[in-house]
Amino acid sequence: MSEWDTSKVTPLHPEQARRRRYRRRLRWLIIVTVVVLAVLALVLFWRDLNFDRFRRWVTYMGVEPGGTYGSCQYPAYDSNTYAIYENGLLVATSSGLMLYDETGSPSTNVSAAMDNPNVNIAGNYAAAWDIGSTTLCAVRNGEEHLNRTLDHTILDVDLSANGDMVFASSADGYRTMLTMMDNQTQERFKWYSSGQYLPLCAVNNGGTQLAAIALGQDQGTFTSSLLLLDPTVADQEPVQISLGNQLIYELDYLQDRYLCAVGETSLQLLRTTGEVYGTYGYNGEHLMKYDIGGDGFVTLALNPYQTGSQYVLKTVDYNGQERGSLALGQEVLHLSAAGDYVAVLTASGLQIYTSDLRLYAQTDGVLGITQVLMREDGTAVLVAANHASLFLP
């Protein structure tokens, strides 16, 4: 191996060396400046950035808006109930459950007779039941999981993301019975209410707590209360919290840390200990429609009158603070929330808003559409009597 002959190396002129060092420093200064500006822009304009657009661009690359991707057909029954399940569509009909994947292809059919079906979705689980009757069925990971005819009339059903199920039903000699099953459909807990009707129930993720709404009277005045139960204790007196003189329309756990009770005069947010930490009153306005499916917020459609088009859309965060307010000036036919989005169906078309009620996307192509189902990525499923299609913003 020959040695390096340093006599052949031409030394840099001092001026050339200085210029080279200067260019190197300038290059690093430009790189650092660009990185700092990018970070600053990310912080300042975080809410204006929308990564869902990029995600949709990747997911639906080559899909033509208004095409057949995501479209499906099903029997047209007046009692049909619809929900987003595993990014596809679940349809509960009088003959059972019908599941369609994201492309619109049918995937699973569960035969069950239901005159007035209702559905509840949690993670990879979905339950359907016949309101005021005895049919209860469920799917897990897109496959039939449960299909039973109970001995008593079902009032309400709730699921957790890990598959625990609770249902409220009538019971011989009692006002209401709460039954809890684990994700193997084995009964874990049963509790009887002799003095109060329990029309709504909920289970937290993990199955460590049950909640129910109890109807009662206080000095001749109608009242609603929240009951909290521990399913590991057989004989217990539940924690009871008054929710005031109002009818409660919906009860559910939010992010496993909160309970949400949507009432006819106010929205109440509670900790799992029963402490009420957030209340949003409607100030005399009428609650026309609502959805609790948003990520970190609840959507309310209010109207100062029980009829008419003076609808005001509100979003309320989990602290009970108003996040957005928008006077629509037209009737809300249907609304749905998921992720950071709210979809509103009106006679003039479909409008999709962000959670602070800034307009995100819209279309007037809603002929025959009766419902809209928002999805977390900013897309929406448009539901008609016997078919559904996918709207891509």
Side-chain angles (χ1 to χ4, degrees), residues 254 260 266-269 278-282 291-292 294-302 313-325 342 355-357:
L254 304 174
C260 172
S266 68
L267 166 69
Q268 301 207 40
L269 298 150
T279 300
Y280 185 86
Y282 309 151
D291 195 292
I292 65 172
D295 184 8
F297 67 97
V298 176
T299 306
L300 310 171
L302 304 174
L313 200 62
K314 305 274 190 178
T315 51
V316 181
D317 66 23
Y318 289 172
N319 291 316
Q321 301 299 310
E322 187 175 290
R323 182 179 294 185
S325 178
V342 180
S355 63
D356 54 3
L357 297 183

Side-chain angles (χ1 to χ4, degrees), residues 2 47 67 164 177 182 184 199 239 255 299-300 302 306 362 385:
S2 61
R47 290 197 58 80
D164 291 311
M177 173 177 63
D182 61 21
Q184 301 301 315
V239 176
Q255 298 179 345
T299 306
L300 310 171
L302 304 174
Q306 290 186 321
Q362 59 183 333

Side-chain angles (χ1 to χ4, degrees), residues 43-60:
V43 172
L44 293 177
F45 303 106
W46 175 260
R47 290 197 58 80
D48 295 318
L49 297 174
N50 194 296
F51 298 106
D52 288 331
R53 291 189 188 276
F54 176 74
R55 182 168 59 155
R56 289 197 304 271
W57 180 79
V58 172
T59 302
Y60 304 110

Side-chain angles (χ1 to χ4, degrees), residues 270-290:
L270 305 95
R271 305 190 194 282
T272 53
T273 58
E275 174 194 358
V276 178
Y277 73 91
T279 300
Y280 185 86
Y282 309 151
N283 296 321
E285 295 190 304
H286 301 277
L287 179 65
M288 310 302 287
K289 289 180 171 58
Y290 66 89

Side-chain angles (χ1 to χ4, degrees), residues 10-23:
T10 303
L12 286 175
H13 189 276
E15 182 63 22
Q16 290 178 314
R18 187 186 66 81
R19 289 177 180 175
R20 178 171 292 185
R21 288 194 301 270
Y22 173 77
R23 286 195 297 268

